[in-house]
Amino acid sequence: MPPGDGPQGNDAVRNEQGIFSIPAPVKRLFDYFPLLSYPPNEPPRRSPPKSLLPTLYIFTTDKDARYGRPSFNPSCLRWQTYLKLCGVEFHTASSNNHSSPTGSLPFLLPPAPRAPLSPEVPLPITSNKLEKWARDRGYRTQAEDQIDSRHDAYLSLLDSQIRNAWLYALYLEPRNSVCVAQRLYVDQASSSTIVSKFLSHQLRTAAEAELAKHSQNIDVDSLYTEAERALEALSVVLGWNEYFFGRATPGLFDASVFAYTHLLLDSNMGWKEDRLVKSVQKWENLVQHRERILDRYLEPQQA
């Protein structure tokens, strides 16, 4: 607006205040009761404390998370072990699939920026990006398929035969379903009988759906037999080396095997139907491989 063309006098003052001015009655109220700035709320008790270390969210108990004990879920334990093998320092926190950005665990949350008012919010690192995340930060990693051409073939034994037998043993074997799966996944989620029954049914249905991808009819003997053959093949390829494919140090494949052998041999799991457990116990080198990684890399803090 050109000079001299605008409102003059009192009209100019009123227009300048505009719609953002505080009405007199409200102003008098704030004069008596001024606004106060309170300090930020404390984080929820289940949230890990602020730290310069990243936090890995996994299936575990609150107590086990505090002491860095292995997860009771093979997918989580695989990556928990892998990060340990790479020399990554991190905290663990108890979580569930509903809290994950991808709908499944684990995921890694980098530490928050040091500046309290920093606009940067750390983005979660999902499991399919953890290997690259560790490699990009200079941790001791190497692409598994560059180490041995047999890697993919043996990995398929874990992801199919052994995983299928695991799903059946944990969720569909009646005694294990009640004494192991329900204790670990259901009882911790809710104390409601109705909710517990729903969750138990959901777990069994999900396991059946996964097994149906391979065969419409679940042949229990066939599942266990194929898993036994897969474990035998893993035992042969390991031989009497300390780690798979003759490596001097363990890698992601070692972590993947450990994720199953440890949980099957861990007495704290409380297996009632133990056919799959005995299949691992048959192979001394697989048992020693599990003990070696547990003792050297995952020895938890003492309670």
Side-chain angles (χ1 to χ4, degrees):
M1 182 179 298
D5 290 346
Q8 301 293 319
N10 292 335
D11 289 338
V13 175
R14 283 193 296 269
N15 188 73
E16 200 170 71
Q17 290 176 339
I19 61 173
F20 298 105
S21 62
I22 301 176
V26 176
K27 183 178 184 305
R28 286 195 295 270
L29 178 63
F30 280 107
D31 288 340
Y32 284 106
F33 302 101
L35 290 174
L36 296 179
S37 297
Y38 293 96
N41 293 331
E42 292 294 321
R45 291 187 178 182
R46 285 177 59 90
S47 298
K50 289 184 178 180
S51 170
L52 298 179
L53 299 179
T55 300
L56 185 69
Y57 288 81
I58 56 175
F59 282 111
T60 187
T61 65
D62 290 338
K63 181 177 180 181
D64 285 352
R66 286 196 300 272
Y67 295 105
R69 293 175 181 144
S71 170
F72 52 75
N73 176 274
S75 296
C76 292
L77 183 54
R78 177 192 191 195
W79 292 105
Q80 182 183 6
T81 303
Y82 176 71
L83 292 177
K84 287 285 187 180
L85 299 182
C86 291
V88 180
E89 292 187 68
F90 59 94
H91 296 300
T92 54
S94 174
S95 189
N96 56 61
N97 286 336
H98 299 293
S99 303
S100 170
T102 61
S104 62
L105 295 177
F107 67 91
L108 185 76
L109 191 65
R114 293 188 181 186
L117 298 180
S118 173
E120 297 181 10
V121 178
L123 297 176
I125 312 300
T126 53
S127 60
N128 63 333
K129 297 179 180 177
L130 282 174
E131 188 176 9
K132 182 178 184 301
W133 178 88
R135 186 166 56 250
D136 289 348
R137 280 152 186 79
Y139 291 104
R140 51 176 184 268
T141 66
Q142 185 174 355
E144 299 285 315
D145 55 1
Q146 296 177 5
I147 298 171
D148 195 288
S149 58
R150 299 169 294 173
H151 170 267
D152 290 345
Y154 284 98
L155 185 61
S156 69
L157 297 179
L158 287 170
D159 292 341
S160 55
Q161 286 95 320
I162 293 177
R163 179 173 180 267
N164 289 345
W166 166 272
L167 290 175
Y168 184 86
L170 179 60
Y171 300 111
L172 301 179
E173 283 281 9
R175 291 194 297 164
N176 289 338
S177 176
V178 173
C179 297
V180 185
Q182 180 165 325
R183 172 172 54 85
L184 296 177
Y185 291 98
V186 177
D187 293 347
Q188 293 192 64
S190 176
S191 58
S192 166
T193 302
I194 295 177
V195 173
S196 294
K197 289 183 177 180
F198 171 76
L199 291 176
S200 295
H201 174 74
Q202 193 176 46
L203 288 174
R204 289 193 299 271
T205 301
E208 290 172 346
E210 281 296 308
L211 293 176
K213 294 178 181 178
H214 302 273
S215 175
Q216 290 300 315
N217 298 316
I218 299 177
D219 185 332
V220 179
D221 286 334
S222 178
L223 282 176
Y224 284 128
T225 298
E226 289 185 11
E228 289 166 3
R229 291 173 179 167
L231 289 166
E232 180 181 7
L234 291 174
S235 175
V236 170
V237 74
L238 175 61
W240 291 109
N241 296 308
E242 288 199 338
Y243 304 112
F244 279 92
F245 309 125
R247 290 184 55 168
T249 56
L252 181 56
F253 190 83
D254 293 274
S256 302
V257 174
F258 173 84
Y260 284 104
T261 57
H262 171 69
L263 294 178
L264 289 168
L265 296 175
D266 184 8
S267 59
N268 293 322
M269 290 290 288
W271 298 104
K272 300 302 179 184
E273 166 51 58
D274 60 353
R275 180 172 173 179
L276 196 54
V277 175
K278 292 177 179 177
S279 296
V280 177
Q281 292 172 335
K282 286 173 55 179
W283 306 105
E284 184 180 351
N285 61 344
L286 292 182
V287 174
Q288 291 181 357
H289 176 268
R290 174 252 181 180
E291 293 172 350
R292 190 175 297 121
I293 290 182
L294 182 65
D295 293 342
R296 294 181 183 179
Y297 296 96
L298 276 101
E299 190 64 36
Q301 303 174 26
Q302 296 300 315

